[in-house]
Amino acid sequence: MNKFLVLVVEDDAPVRNLITTTLNAHGYRYLTAENGETAILEVTSHNPDVILLDLGLPDIDGVEIIRRIRTWSNTPIIVISARSEDTDKIDALDAGADDYLTKPFSVEELLARLRVTQRHFALMAQEKSGGSVFVNGALRIDYAAGCAWLEEKELHLTPIEYKLLCLLSQNLGKVLTHTYITQQIWGSSWENDVASLRVFMATLRKKLESGGDSRQYIQTHVGIGYRMLRAE
Ligand code: CA
């Protein structure tokens, strides 16, 4: 039995039913909301473990809902949007959403996103109780010492590559947008920064994939940003 409580915010009844049927079949508990006002109310009164949020709701704009929730809650938010709404997706991620699903999505995709969120949750709890060492597969980062290792071999990273690696690891499982990353690294987000980001990300990746370890640590979301994956 899965004790995870999912809040499903979706005004489209067929999509909502598909989601709740899937959740039911896989042992998730769930609540539903058909509009933004109800969604915010449900978050306050039931404190769900994850929120599935459709961006196109009849009353409040989805991005605005995320902003409001983020003023007092860190509950993971997975946004659901149509393929044509790429800018909305980026705005949602910048407002504090953790991940996204594009309509139409499969049941497998939905379950995979939920598993990523659950693992992220478990890791956050572990980090709260642990020290300053991050471990993911063969990758280890000692934040206090400012060093990173892959398969026990120290990684020789430039200061920017190291900063990027830390930023991604501290947001494990979460898609970070180009704007967010460049603002964190350079304090700005000009087009040139995004171009530089691509270069640094390519060199960082090369170093992460140089060993015998064939695991993929960094996932690219074309036109959106990057995410560090939890190594199996
Ligand atoms: Ca909708």
Side-chain angles (χ1 to χ4, degrees):
M1 188 68 188
N2 202 317
K3 290 196 193 87
F4 229 55
L5 178 63
V6 184
L7 171 61
V8 182
V9 189
E10 171 65 79
D11 60 324
D12 186 349
V15 180
R16 196 173 58 237
N17 290 340
L18 168 76
I19 297 173
T20 55
T21 308
T22 307
L23 294 177
N24 217 359
H26 290 82
Y28 286 95
R29 293 184 300 138
Y30 65 84
L31 296 162
T32 58
E34 294 172 31
N35 56 56
E37 287 297 347
T38 318
I40 291 170
L41 222 90
E42 292 289 351
V43 177
T44 358
S45 47
H46 296 282
N47 191 26
D49 297 305
V50 62
I51 303 165
L52 287 175
L53 175 69
D54 173 33
L55 286 181
L57 292 169
D59 55 347
I60 315 171
D61 174 58
V63 176
E64 178 56 28
I65 297 176
I66 298 166
R67 282 201 194 101
R68 287 200 207 168
I69 293 173
R70 280 290 173 262
T71 58
W72 48 269
S73 164
N74 282 321
T75 305
I77 301 174
I78 302 172
V79 297
I80 302 170
S81 70
R83 202 163 291 280
S84 57
E85 301 165 331
D86 249 1
T87 25
D88 295 2
K89 229 178 291 182
I90 293 172
D91 288 346
L93 290 164
D94 279 333
D98 295 80
D99 203 349
Y100 61 87
L101 268 169
T102 306
K103 280 183 194 173
F105 53 85
S106 67
V107 162
E108 287 72 29
E109 261 182 286
L110 169 66
L111 292 169
R113 291 301 202 286
L114 285 171
R115 280 195 297 271
V116 167
T117 310
Q118 274 178 292
R119 281 198 294 262
H120 180 58
F121 224 65
L123 198 97
M124 297 293 276
Q126 184 191 320
E127 262 183 11
K128 265 182 206 151
S129 59
S132 66
V133 178
F134 168 89
V135 179
N136 183 18
L139 174 68
R140 188 158 58 90
I141 308 169
D142 186 332
Y143 297 128
C147 299
W149 295 266
L150 189 69
E151 298 169 311
E152 301 307 314
K153 267 185 274 171
E154 189 173 348
L155 284 165
H156 297 287
L157 303 175
T158 65
I160 288 186
E161 287 165 354
Y162 179 72
K163 260 174 116 173
L164 275 172
L165 185 67
C166 289
L167 186 65
L168 288 163
S169 67
Q170 283 156 353
N171 291 280
L172 185 75
K174 180 169 169 156
V175 180
L176 303 180
T177 63
H178 294 136
T179 312
Y180 179 81
I181 299 174
T182 51
Q183 266 166 0
Q184 294 296 311
I185 304 288
W186 291 287
S188 58
S189 186
W190 302 104
E191 222 149 286
N192 276 342
D193 296 330
V194 177
S196 312
L197 175 62
R198 269 196 205 101
V199 176
F200 283 112
M201 211 50 110
T203 57
L204 172 61
R205 258 204 157 127
K206 219 169 165 185
K207 289 177 187 179
L208 283 176
E209 284 156 17
S210 62
D213 191 11
S214 59
R215 276 175 282 215
Q216 189 198 2
Y217 288 97
I218 300 171
Q219 186 182 51
T220 303
H221 289 245
V222 177
I224 294 178
Y226 301 92
R227 155 179 29 215
M228 182 175 284
L229 297 168
R230 180 95 182 114
E232 297 297 333

